Amino acid sequence: MSKLKILFVLYPGVTHLDFTGPHQVLSRAPNSETLVASMGGQDIEAEGLTFTNLADLSKVERCDVICIPGGFGTTAAMLDEAFMAQVRRLGAGAKYQTSVCTGSLILAAAGFLKGKRSACHWAWRSMLEPFGAIVSEERVARDGNIITGGGVTAGIDFAFVMLEELAGRDYAEAVQLGLEYAPAPPFNSGRPELARPEVLAQVKARMAASADSRAEAAVRAAQAAEPV
């Protein structure tokens, strides 16, 4: 029996926890091979960490699960025609198309989310709309074989949903126990509806600087998107 191939696609400007959280979980899927790839196999720097020894995305023949993490680099990535061509190729042949955070914008730009329910980071959810996606506020959203996680840390929850799909609940729960994944955050401010107004205002102000350029990029990518 051939191994299940799980592919994480990296690009400049990726948020490393979007990738490393799910990778930690899904690398434990039974009878599987977890591959991390970038264009040309280039090293990817992410917030002070450098990921190296990556596969060349264009030379990956196929995968069963494709996962696109998010990050501020999604703005450039979804307008990179060569990169998007590889995402379309590999995603079209995958059984599961998945993402974390703003990685769903790349899935959408590849044409996979039209008419599909999808999660995204709360600050950028509206940018899914030009692609014809159905915006979900869920931490993990599923629409058929499309499974998407919300912002950053939601990627870990997404990964356990994915692991249950691949290996069953007992196996997924055993991995959860082994990783001692029992979140108990010190502050109850992880979603905009829970955060104190002054904290929410601070975060929105910080993100406002890039909001216009990201929204413009989403519209341009939606106009250029090819149907799968």
Side-chain angles (χ1 to χ4, degrees):
M1 183 178 179
S2 60
K3 287 188 175 182
L4 181 84
K5 292 190 176 182
I6 302 171
L7 174 65
F8 286 90
V9 179
L10 302 191
Y11 51 87
V14 72
T15 295
H16 65 70
L17 186 57
D18 285 13
F19 150 60
T20 53
H23 183 278
Q24 177 71 77
V25 175
L26 292 177
S27 64
R28 301 192 179 198
N31 193 38
S32 69
E33 174 187 4
T34 304
L35 190 64
V36 185
S38 64
M39 290 295 287
Q42 66 177 310
D43 291 355
I44 297 294
E45 189 278 332
E47 299 165 309
L49 298 181
T50 300
F51 298 98
T52 190
N53 296 323
L54 305 180
D56 183 344
L57 189 63
S58 66
K59 294 180 180 178
V60 177
E61 293 184 2
R62 56 169 294 277
C63 63
D64 298 292
V65 179
I66 186 170
C67 184
I68 315 291
F72 281 100
T74 55
T75 305
M78 63 185 174
L79 296 175
D80 183 332
E81 293 182 6
F83 173 79
M84 291 304 303
Q86 298 305 322
V87 173
R88 289 189 193 96
R89 176 181 67 86
L90 290 161
K95 181 176 181 181
Y96 299 97
Q97 296 90 25
T98 75
S99 66
V100 177
C101 196
T102 53
S104 58
L105 295 175
I106 293 176
L107 277 188
F112 296 118
L113 297 186
K114 187 172 183 179
K116 301 293 185 178
R117 193 171 77 257
S118 175
C120 188
H121 188 288
W122 62 265
W124 315 110
R125 288 176 192 146
S126 62
M127 295 183 187
L128 286 168
E129 294 173 359
F131 298 100
I134 300 169
V135 179
S136 171
E137 296 185 3
E138 296 170 281
R139 189 160 171 83
V140 181
R142 178 165 190 172
D143 195 326
N145 285 359
I146 294 172
I147 305 176
T148 53
V152 193
T153 61
I156 300 174
D157 292 6
F158 146 77
F160 279 110
V161 171
M162 191 75 244
L163 187 59
E164 180 185 16
E165 173 73 14
L166 298 174
R169 179 165 179 169
D170 287 352
Y171 189 92
E173 287 192 16
V175 172
Q176 180 180 2
L177 176 58
L179 295 176
E180 198 174 348
Y181 181 54
F187 313 114
N188 192 26
S189 60
R191 291 178 64 93
E193 62 270 22
L194 300 175
R196 289 181 288 123
E198 58 269 32
V199 173
L200 179 59
Q202 180 184 27
V203 174
K204 282 185 172 181
R206 189 165 66 241
M207 293 180 170
S210 59
D212 290 345
S213 61
R214 297 195 87 179
E216 180 184 350
V219 171
R220 288 171 57 195
Q223 292 172 341
E226 301 175 7
V228 177

